[in-house]
């Protein structure tokens, strides 16, 4: 079980950072959905953390803004907002499918997007869609008595399973992303049970269609297949600039194997990723306004 | 600790109570406010038994630190029917019979209420999705979904509320009639108290120290440091057992706590009763145990081999039980056969995963009667064993069966009740133990894993002439129900077929695995899986329709069973014919019927689940804008 001596709920970033500076040993908490299961037999077991600092009540961390081609997601934004916040649904078309696959509605109301990236699980559902939105992470820490803020791409923030570049007293304030209005998005995932399930493989797609159905912008990211979720840049390059063809789809499906670097069930994952790529691409293209004929392309190569 | 005070509005009433800073909202509601309708099933956000509303939003209270409800409006299942009149959702659960063991039901009622508030017109697919965070182990969900649809239709005015009060006329007959469960109202309102919900004044909390080794001698066991720790009232080991230390369903081979050696990972070694759970957990860490690991065996066939590690002195061959069945002349039957099919089948251990973990409350009453409340499926047998273990006359031992929040056979075993009784006697205070989910999985019985070797001789036309069957059941470290399981597997091992020559040998074997015990079907599932799989394989080999093969060999009235009992009535053929009809079975040999099956789908067949019904409607409207009145 988890025990602590003090549970603090600071109302400002400055107070939270000050509390961290004053505490010899502490842990930041947001949605807490990972915290309590973590302190159980078979995982961390009995854990005593002298001070818990809950950052979920800090107004800045709860803010969601969509303006001027950018999205700002406060770190304490619950995953459920990707399903019910109209502006977010428009600007982050890769997220609704991801959110509906993310545990269940009760956990989505608590779990935060900041917590999802700080945990840096190889199977974290929220990370691939953020990677396709070119997410930038903003961090804050108290340095020499002043609040120091810094930003970095999400891809640089996560360094390995459960590992990030965040220093121990640094708070993730929020995530800035491209607003992808007009794009189509899809999220494919496989796991054991629709609700509550951890990804075995997940894949996020966002697409913008141009004249004559050319793929003007294609962004793909895959999770659950290696130590960190990754953008599939080689495949994106191969698909960009022209309409999708069955030959083109066959060709890029052949590139998927290289992304599978998991420690277990490699063969299974290698067989899943190309299917997700086909299905996700076609779904995202349809949502981006491509003709129904595009669906035939995926079906044509479905049995490859 | 700190002097944390939590203020919140709970079920409409302002509450101001002390709390530990590390408590979960779940603990605060249950322990401080006694709102035990909010259940703990998994403690890890997976089962939904603890669902509550915080400011109108449904969340899992086992994941919510208590500080997060400070200043908020909290509603629990007790708050839904505050006036005493059940809500439409609760009445619908009662009417639909959606309250089997009842343990998941408060959480289900909360999730159903949330679903209908979010979308008063939710269809069945959306209801399924919105209830996706809540797990049920008994009902199979159909009645729960029926109930939510019924509540929805009444709230929408499509159904009259009078449906809640309608009862089927019984005319003195109860088969085929929907009978209202009399305990359902207490289940749907959260009023029913399971063992883990019970409290007594001055109650202590129990925690158990468990073995990390599958097989080891206990060289030293020192609890003196734990006994001196603050908050600790009593610590017990096998040295505290006053009587004959052994229990089990058939063989009394399991000590209350490990005596001299441990035989599986998770076996109880010592137990602590303390003022709080945290105190008890700290005391466990202060118990010193020195183990000398022994060679262990994890495969029952390896445990049967000469020279294998021996678990129990009384069973040098690791045999719990062997049941042989003989009828006719198997050798002759196999010689006469035109086809002999041999195959081996294996089944794995299965966890019961009842939502209510094992729990109990014990005390010594004013007359010196040791009293234990627990969800037991075998109360009288437990009482007899307890009297021997405690060395008390049976009138000084009282076992009370609490509501069973899912049993499935797993709560036949007396596992922890002895520890509770001993701690109540030693501390002279009431004691309560509630297993964590992890503890339940690690330490209590599973379905017996099995390995079945089948040899069957048939004629070309499909008549079974002989069956030779051997089933080895992995009994794990202690006997529990193994003897009965082995017996049932033998009696039913040949299947419901009239076989003139049959030889069945079933074995229950000790290994250092988690003990195996009773689990829905009690040993016959394993043999039926083998038999029916084997018949399908034989049908393919013979080029026969699997139904035809079974009908050809079905037992009829007057036939002799495998144990040579004349059958006075058998409806096997009628059952098979009925199943063939309703399943729209496409006749033929399975492996030559072609790529397209004509017997799938069709009227009455359940369609597969659809993903994201909410998204497929492409409805971007905020759900908060369409609140209903559930």
């Amino acid at each position: 079980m988890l025990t602590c001596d003090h549970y603090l709920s600071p109302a400002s970033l400055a107070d939270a950072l000050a509390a961290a500076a004053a505490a010899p040993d502490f842990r930041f908490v947001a949605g807490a959905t990972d915290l309590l299961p973590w302190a159980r037999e078979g995982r961390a077991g009995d854990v005593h953390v002298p001070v818990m600092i809950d950052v979920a009540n800090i107004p800045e961390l709860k803010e969601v803004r969509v303006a001027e081609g950018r999205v700002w997601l406060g770190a304490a934004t619950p995953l459920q907002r990707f399903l019910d916040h109209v502006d977010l649904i428009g600007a982050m078309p890769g997220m609704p499918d991801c959110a509906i696959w993310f545990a269940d509605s009760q956990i989505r109301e608590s779990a935060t997007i900041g917590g999802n990236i700080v945990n840096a699980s190889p199977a974290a559902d929220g990370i691939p869609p953020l990677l396709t939105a070119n997410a930038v992470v903003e961090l804050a820490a108290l340095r020499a008595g002043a609040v120091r803020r810094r930003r970095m791409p999400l891809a640089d923030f996560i360094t390995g399973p459960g590992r990030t570049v965040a220093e121990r007293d640094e708070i993730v304030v929020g995530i800035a992303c491209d607003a992808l209005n007009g794009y189509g998005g899809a999220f494919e995932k496989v796991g054991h049970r629709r609700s509550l399930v951890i990804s075995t493989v997940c894949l996020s797609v966002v697409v913008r269609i141009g004249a004559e159905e050319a793929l003007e912008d294609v962004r793909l990211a895959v999770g659950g297949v290696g130590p960190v979720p990754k953008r599939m840049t080689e495949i994106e390059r191969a698909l960009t600039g022209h309409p999708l063809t069955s030959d083109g789809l066959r060709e890029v499906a052949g590139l998927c194997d290289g992304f599978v670097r998991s420690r277990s069930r490699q063969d299974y994952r290698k067989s899943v990723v190309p299917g997700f790529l086909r299905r996700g691409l076609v779904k995202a293209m349809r949502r981006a306004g491509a003709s129904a004929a595009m669906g035939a392309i995926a079906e044509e190569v479905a049995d490859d | 600790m700190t002097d944390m005070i939590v203020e919140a509005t709970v079920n409409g009433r302002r509450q101001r109570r002390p709390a530990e800073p590390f408590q979960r909202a779940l603990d605060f509601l249950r322990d401080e406010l006694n709102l035990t309708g909010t259940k703990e099933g998994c403690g890890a956000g997976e089962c939904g038994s603890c669902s509550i509303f915080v400011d109108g939003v449904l969340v899992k209270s086992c994941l919510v630190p208590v500080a997060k409800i400070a200043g908020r409006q909290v509603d629990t299942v007790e708050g839904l029917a505050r006036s005493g009149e059940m809500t439409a959702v609760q009445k619908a659960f009662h009417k639909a019979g959606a309250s089997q063991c009842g343990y998941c039901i408060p959480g289900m009622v909360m999730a159903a209420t949330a679903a209908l508030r979010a979308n008063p017109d939710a269809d069945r697919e959306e209801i399924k999705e919105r209830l996706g965070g809540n797990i049920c182990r008994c009902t199979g969900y159909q009645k729960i979904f029926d109930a939510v649809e019924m509540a929805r239709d009444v709230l929408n005015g499509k159904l009259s509320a009078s449906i809640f009060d309608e009862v089927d006329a019984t005319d003195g007959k109860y088969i085929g009639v929907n009978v209202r469960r009399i305990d359902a109202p207490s289940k749907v309102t959260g009023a029913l108290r399971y063992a883990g919900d019970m409290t007594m004044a001055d109650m202590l909390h129990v925690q158990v120290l468990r073995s990390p080794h599958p097989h080891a001698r206990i060289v030293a066991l020192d609890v003196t440091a734990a006994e001196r720790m603050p908050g600790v009232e009593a610590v017990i080991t096998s040295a505290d057992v006053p009587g004959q230390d052994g229990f089990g369903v058939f063989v009394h081979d399991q000590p209350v706590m490990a005596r001299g050696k441990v035989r599986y990972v998770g076996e109880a070694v010592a137990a602590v009763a303390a003022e709080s759970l945290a105190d008890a957990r700290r005391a466990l860490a202060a118990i010193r145990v020195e183990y000398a690991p022994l060679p262990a065996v994890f495969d029952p066939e390896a445990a049967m081999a000469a020279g294998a590690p021996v678990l129990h002195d009384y069973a040098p061959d690791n045999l719990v039980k062997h049941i042989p069945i003989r009828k006719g002349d198997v050798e002759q039957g196999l010689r006469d056969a035109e086809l002999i099919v041999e195959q081996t089948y294996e089944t794995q251990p299965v966890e019961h995963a009842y939502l209510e973990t094992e729990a109990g409350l014990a005390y010594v009453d004013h007359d010196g009667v040791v009293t234990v409340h627990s969800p037991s499926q075998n109360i009288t047998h437990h009482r007899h064993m307890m009297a021997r273990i405690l060395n008390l006359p049976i009138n000084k031992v009282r076992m009370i069966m609490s509501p069973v929040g899912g049993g499935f056979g797993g709560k036949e075993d007396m596992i922890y009740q002895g520890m509770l009784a001993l701690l109540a006697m030693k501390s002279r205070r009431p004691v309560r133990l509630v297993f964590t989910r992890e503890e339940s999985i690690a330490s209590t019985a599973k379905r017996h894993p099995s390995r079945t070797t089948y040899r069957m001789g048939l004629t070309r036309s499909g008549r079974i002439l002989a069956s030779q069957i051997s089933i080895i059941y992995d009994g794990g470290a202690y006997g529990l129900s193994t003897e009965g399981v082995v017996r049932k597997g033998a009696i039913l091992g040949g299947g419901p077929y009239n076989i003139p020559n049959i030889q069945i040998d079933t074995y229950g074997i000790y290994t250092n695995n988690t003990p195996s015990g009773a689990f829905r079907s009690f040993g016959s599932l394993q043999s039926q899986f083998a038999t029916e799989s084997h018949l399908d394989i034989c049908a393919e080999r013979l080029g026969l329709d699997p139904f035809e093969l079974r009908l050809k060999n079905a037992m009829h009235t007057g036939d002799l069973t495998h144990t040579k009992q004349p059958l006075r009535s058998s409806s096997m053929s009628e059952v098979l014919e009925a199943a063939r009809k309703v399943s729209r079975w496409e006749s033929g040999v399975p492996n030559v019927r072609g790529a397209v099956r004509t017997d799938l789908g069709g009227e009455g067949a359940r369609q597969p689940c659809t993903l994201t019904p909410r998204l497929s409607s492409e409805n971007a409207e905020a759900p908060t804008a369409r609140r209903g009145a559930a």
Side-chain angles (χ1 to χ4, degrees), chain B residues 133-149:
Chain B
N134 293 65
I135 290 175
C136 170
R137 289 281 291 135
C138 307
T139 73
Y141 300 100
Q142 300 309 314
K143 289 183 175 180
I144 291 170
F145 298 142
D146 290 346
V148 186
E149 286 189 318

Side-chain angles (χ1 to χ4, degrees), chain B residues 549-621:
Chain B
L549 179 61
R550 286 173 171 84
L551 282 165
K552 195 163 277 190
N553 292 287
M555 279 189 189
H556 293 109
T557 304
D559 286 345
L560 283 186
T561 65
H562 313 313
T563 52
K564 297 182 211 167
Q565 179 193 2
L567 268 185
R568 291 162 66 183
S569 103
S570 167
S571 52
M572 166 90 180
S573 302
E574 289 93 314
V575 169
L576 275 175
E577 290 293 5
R580 177 151 74 173
K581 188 158 170 257
V582 298
S583 66
R584 287 188 290 274
W585 178 254
E586 179 192 352
S587 57
V589 188
N591 57 340
V592 296
R593 278 193 294 189
V596 179
R597 296 272 303 269
T598 59
D599 53 350
L600 300 177
E603 197 191 341
R606 187 138 37 97
Q607 297 305 309
C609 286
T610 53
L611 178 66
T612 68
R614 277 182 281 175
L615 294 180
S616 59
S617 64
E618 306 289 351
N619 189 351
E621 190 187 354

Side-chain angles (χ1 to χ4, degrees), chain B residues 467-485:
Chain B
S467 281
Q468 188 175 37
I469 306 161
S470 148
I471 313 178
I472 297 168
Y473 290 94
D474 181 351
Y478 292 101
L480 304 183
S481 314
T482 294
E483 187 175 326
V485 163

